Amino acid sequence: LILWGDRDRDKRRPVGFIAALSPPQNQIMDKEYVGFATLPNQVHRKSVKRGFDFTLMVAGESGLGKSTLIDSLFLTDLYKERKMLQAEERISQTMEITKNAVDIEERGVKVKLTVVDTPGFGDAVDNTECWKSIAEYIDQQFEQYFRDESGLNRKNIQDNRVHCILYFISPYGHGLRPLDVEFMKAIHDKVNIVPVIAKADTLTPSEVKTMKQRVRDEIEEFGINIYQFPDCDSDEDEDFKQEDTALKESIPFAVIGSNAVISDSKDRPMRGRVYPWGVVEIDNPTHCDFVKLRNMLIQTHMQDLKDVTQEVHYENYRAQCIQSLTRIGAKERSSRNKISRQSITELSLLPLAETEKLIREKDEELRRMQEMIQKMQQQMQQNQGEQSDTL
């Protein structure tokens, strides 16, 4: 359908919004043109109007720069009221899960970002099953979404499921620690894991390369399933394919976070860290993988992270819930059958007099029902006879 303006009626040119979406003049005159090409624009307008939501979880031991990196990624200040605990206070501290939500708008596109932090993770002397509360939190969000989806009001379902978890690996070791392996194995079937090497400015370029290869080898050795980037379509341009290949080769991302704005000799503002021997720029791809991680999370793979959460992790949880409900229903039916058989057995063990009394009562009830049926049949025959006499 094409709307025409009065001033352009003679020229027969479309005006308004549809004019921007309409094909050239020679295609308009083509009778084969219907207008399906505008469907992506309709979906785009509806999505922008509704807005987007994304839930990101960060995990790792204290002091690896998790809060700084989140503020650097989204240009926010989520942790301005955070209090740093002293050493004595951290001894008795237990891991807790905190949520921080912020609404971000860029060029008319609104995103509700929820960051789930895990302060206290891995800081105890005994870290046995310290990841249990994190796994339970992820399952709780799945359960809440499953309840809302199965309810009567499904119009405004709030999605609080964790779409991605950034797991911070310490740069001071020689690969993954036992805690890293056990944590990722406990949650890799529930959420998309993106491993990052924290504070990469403490490593030389050769050490970063060696660390990345060692982490990749250990992830494969222990059978840990991290987030897998989707394959590029054959019709994608070469630049996009090269960027995708570079992202895949950068896993785990070696990142540096900083909110400090500094200026070099050319008075060019930039974010980075100043050391006695030089300056580290977080937006410089030759210094760290911060830009690659930001592009992956926001520009290229945010929707794919949500799709994998919906189509893989949530569907697995949903299937398990349905199977458990089916098993519970089968047990209940089996228990009812057992009760009925038990009642029959107890009936056979009643005294003879009571058994005969029950039989007589049943016979009397059947006799009354038969008399009632006979009266109804006689009444129906009488009504039919009266109708035939009237005719």
Side-chain angles (χ1 to χ4, degrees), residues 54-59 116 131 134-139 141-142 160-167 183-195 224-228 304-306 308-310 312-314 316-317:
F54 188 73
T55 301
L56 177 68
M57 176 180 279
V58 291
V116 183
W131 56 84
I134 298 178
E136 290 176 353
Y137 176 84
I138 297 173
D139 287 338
Q141 305 312 308
F142 281 152
N160 292 320
R161 297 171 297 180
V162 180
H163 301 118
C164 176
I165 178 169
L166 293 180
Y167 185 68
F183 172 75
M184 288 192 284
K185 288 177 67 175
I187 65 168
H188 66 163
D189 291 331
K190 305 175 183 293
V191 67
N192 299 310
I193 302 177
V194 177
I224 300 172
N225 300 322
I226 62 174
Y227 172 68
Q228 299 294 327
D304 187 69
L305 288 166
K306 298 180 65 174
V308 174
T309 301
Q310 170 67 29
V312 179
H313 300 300
Y314 174 69
N316 290 337
Y317 176 84

Side-chain angles (χ1 to χ4, degrees), residues 34 45 76 85-86 108 174 177 180 184 245 259 366:
V34 178
R45 291 196 304 271
T76 59
L85 300 178
Q86 300 296 328
H174 298 283
R177 300 173 302 168
D180 302 331
M184 288 192 284
T245 302
N259 295 318
L366 289 174

Side-chain angles (χ1 to χ4, degrees), residues 334-356:
S334 176
S335 62
R336 286 197 298 267
N337 293 335
K338 289 180 180 178
I339 292 174
S340 62
R341 286 195 294 267
Q342 183 179 1
S343 61
I344 294 174
T345 305
E346 292 176 354
L347 181 62
S348 62
L349 297 177
L350 290 174
L352 182 61
E354 294 185 9
T355 304
E356 292 178 351

Side-chain angles (χ1 to χ4, degrees), residues 37-55:
T38 64
L39 287 177
N41 301 88
Q42 299 175 31
V43 175
H44 172 75
R45 291 196 304 271
K46 187 175 181 180
S47 300
V48 170
K49 184 178 179 180
R50 184 173 59 245
F52 302 89
D53 49 50
F54 188 73
T55 301

